[in-house]
Amino acid sequence: MKMLTRDGVSLTYEEAGSGGPPMVFVPGGSCEWWSFHEQLTHFSRNRRCLSLNLRGHGESDKPQQEYTMAGYADDVAWVIDQLGLDRPIVVGHSMGGAIALQLAAEHPDVARAIVLVDPAPVTDNRAGFEHMLAAIAKHGAESTRRRLFKNFFLDGYDEALLEEICRRAAQTPDHVFISEIGDLRIWNGAEAARKCHVPALHIAAARPACPPAALEDVLPHVVTGQTVGAGHFNMLEVPEQVNSMIEHFLRQYVS
């Protein structure tokens, strides 16, 4: 595990491979670098790859502060600059997809392209996240997160995989989880999408968290694919499908 320190906050990441264009993987809320370990292994065969622990997650520091999509995007841009990465492809899952979109909007020269792996809703996001905050208030953060993650899977899911995801997510403190959910509730994803001009791929799950038509309304140039037989954590459930879609996207749309 490697580490950079930004204004006294340690930000950690796993790195593998060499060559370019590089890739940077941004996990979702409460998740850590391991969410993309299948992609890190696959793509590092011929390019430099990083999978991040956002602040508040994994082995990164977890200060008492607000956790916002804009703040996360600033951290990702800072890491990319510090490591001298030449316009990487930024791949985000769930909340990480929102961060990738925010990065492309507010730091337009940083990413070469973005890949949104079943991203958080970009439009009409208020009601769902308000419901989640109400569940946290009633049942607690850990119980709500476990229920949420279980609901992300299809019938016949891999129970061991769910347990591993939940075990790792438990490292994320309540104050981080609640803050980032609160920010997603008010995040203006439509505005970020309209400001995104780099090539973009949307890899939806069987039950998409972000409806493809809604995303296409605000991000008309997005390329959309959908995995078969996998839920929200499709990059872990069917990595061969996700990896193949990314490879074809890079070959066809990203110079």
Side-chain angles (χ1 to χ4, degrees), residues 23 43 47 89-91 112-116 198-203 221-225 242-255:
M23 297 180 79
F43 287 101
R47 65 180 76 224
I89 297 101
V90 177
V91 183
R112 185 180 305 262
I114 60 173
V115 178
L116 313 177
V198 298
L201 171 64
H202 174 206
I203 303 179
H221 69 274
V222 69
V223 178
T224 297
V242 170
N243 296 346
S244 179
M245 287 185 194
I246 295 174
E247 285 179 341
H248 284 281
F249 168 71
L250 296 181
R251 195 156 46 237
Q252 189 70 28
Y253 296 96
V254 183
S255 59

Side-chain angles (χ1 to χ4, degrees), residues 59-70:
E59 296 179 28
S60 291
D61 284 346
K62 304 166 179 66
Q64 290 283 348
Q65 61 163 88
E66 289 187 342
Y67 288 82
T68 67
M69 300 310 105

Side-chain angles (χ1 to χ4, degrees), residues 213-228:
L215 182 58
E216 290 163 8
D217 280 346
V218 292
L219 189 63
H221 69 274
V222 69
V223 178
T224 297
Q226 190 167 23
T227 50
V228 176

Side-chain angles (χ1 to χ4, degrees), residues 52-167:
L52 307 181
N53 283 327
L54 297 167
R55 69 171 62 210
H57 298 73
E59 296 179 28
S60 291
D61 284 346
K62 304 166 179 66
Q64 290 283 348
Q65 61 163 88
E66 289 187 342
Y67 288 82
T68 67
M69 300 310 105
Y72 285 139
D74 286 347
D75 277 347
V76 174
W78 181 85
V79 168
I80 289 169
D81 178 68
Q82 290 295 299
L83 296 177
L85 301 179
D86 180 20
R87 297 188 64 223
I89 297 101
V90 177
V91 183
H93 170 246
S94 192
M95 185 187 78
I99 296 166
L101 198 55
Q102 186 71 27
L103 176 78
E106 299 302 327
H107 303 273
D109 298 325
V110 169
R112 185 180 305 262
I114 60 173
V115 178
L116 313 177
V117 182
D118 207 43
V122 171
T123 61
D124 300 323
N125 51 329
R126 182 175 293 270
F129 290 114
E130 284 180 349
H131 178 75
M132 201 179 301
L133 290 170
I136 292 170
K138 183 176 181 180
H139 302 290
E142 185 173 352
S143 175
T144 299
R145 183 164 50 206
R146 174 172 284 274
R147 260 188 240 181
L148 178 68
F149 285 4
K150 183 176 180 179
N151 289 338
F152 282 155
F153 283 84
L154 305 182
D155 291 344
Y157 64 89
D158 182 341
E159 293 185 13
L161 177 60
L162 172 61
E163 288 304 314
E164 183 63 12
I165 292 169
C166 289
R167 184 186 71 80

